[in-house]
Amino acid sequence: TQVIQTMAKYKDFFVDVMMQQELELQVPEDDHVQESMREGLIMFLSFAAFGAMPLLGYVVIPATFPDLGEDLLFQAACVVTGCVLFLLGSIKSKFAAAHWFYS
């Protein structure tokens, strides 16, 4: 109990030890706010960029070929969307353990 009383005098140290030992949580770094903001911004930009890619077929094909009929435009957009999703899955396999074809 003397160890606990000594540790309790140093609140920051005591909280860090409690987080690591009892709760099994990592103690945040000193610059955790800036790092969290940076990671959040990267996640948002990645989500926005890669989330917009499957929609390119619905924007690029009609802008490139405005004279196509509605059915043909829809089919072309579906093909482009499928190809983009396959390409993104293949790229994702570089960062995952899955085979590129099944990723």
Side-chain angles (χ1 to χ4, degrees):
T1 60
Q2 186 174 356
V3 172
I4 299 292
Q5 291 173 351
T6 304
M7 286 174 52
K9 292 178 184 176
Y10 306 98
K11 297 214 183 279
D12 289 338
F13 174 73
F14 188 69
V15 169
D16 289 349
V17 169
M18 293 292 286
M19 284 181 61
Q20 283 182 324
Q21 300 299 318
E22 291 192 19
L23 301 175
E24 296 180 5
L25 296 173
Q26 291 182 346
V27 178
E29 310 245 343
D30 292 336
D31 65 343
H32 70 19
V33 173
Q34 290 176 338
E35 189 66 25
S36 297
M37 291 295 286
R38 182 178 154 274
E39 289 175 2
L41 180 64
I42 290 171
M43 180 68 71
F44 171 74
L45 293 175
S46 298
F47 181 78
F50 289 105
M53 283 187 185
L55 300 175
L56 290 178
Y58 294 95
V59 176
V60 173
I61 299 295
T64 308
F65 305 104
D67 298 332
L68 292 178
E70 289 181 9
D71 290 339
L72 197 54
L73 280 173
F74 180 71
Q75 291 172 355
C78 289
V79 168
V80 169
T81 299
C83 291
V84 167
L85 290 175
F86 180 80
L87 179 67
L88 290 175
S90 298
I91 293 170
K92 184 191 80 160
S93 71
K94 295 289 184 185
F95 305 101
H99 187 266
W100 71 272
F101 188 78
Y102 299 108
S103 181

